[in-house]
């Protein structure tokens, strides 16, 4: 259950950061506000690309393997 909480928190934090940066960039550059969505999408794509290379192989997670829900649990015995 803790892994899912970490995963949800990671997604919420990254989505909020990308949306905030999208609004900030459009405000600072003087672009119309509708550009905030494409800017946030570009940031999300960049984050996924970087996380795919730095994070656990095959995921776009920035969580460590011990907290990533995509990491299989270690089980012992039958």
């Amino acid at each position: 259950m803790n892994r899912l909480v970490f995963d949800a928190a990671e997604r919420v934090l990254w989505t909020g950061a990308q949306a905030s940066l999208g609004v900030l960039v459009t405000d600072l550059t003087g672009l119309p506000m509708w550009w905030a969505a494409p800017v946030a999408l570009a940031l999300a794509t960049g984050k996924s690309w970087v996380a795919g290379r730095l994070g656990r192989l095959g995921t776009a997670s920035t969580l460590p393997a011990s907290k990533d829900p995509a990491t299989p649990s270690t089980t012992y015995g039958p």
Side-chain angles (χ1 to χ4, degrees):
M1 182 65 172
N2 274 345
R3 288 182 175 194
L4 293 177
V5 171
F6 281 116
D7 186 50
E10 178 198 27
R11 291 171 189 259
V12 166
L13 290 172
W14 276 114
T15 302
Q18 291 157 358
S20 298
L21 283 172
V23 171
L24 181 65
V25 166
T26 56
D27 188 41
L28 290 176
T29 59
L31 291 171
M33 193 53 69
W34 66 267
W35 275 99
V39 169
L41 287 172
L43 291 170
T45 302
K47 176 260 177 191
S48 294
W49 186 84
V50 169
R53 275 124 190 97
L54 296 178
R56 190 172 171 281
L57 187 61
T59 70
S61 178
T62 55
L63 292 172
S66 63
K67 306 285 188 213
D68 188 2
T71 303
S73 299
T74 305
T75 57
Y76 298 100

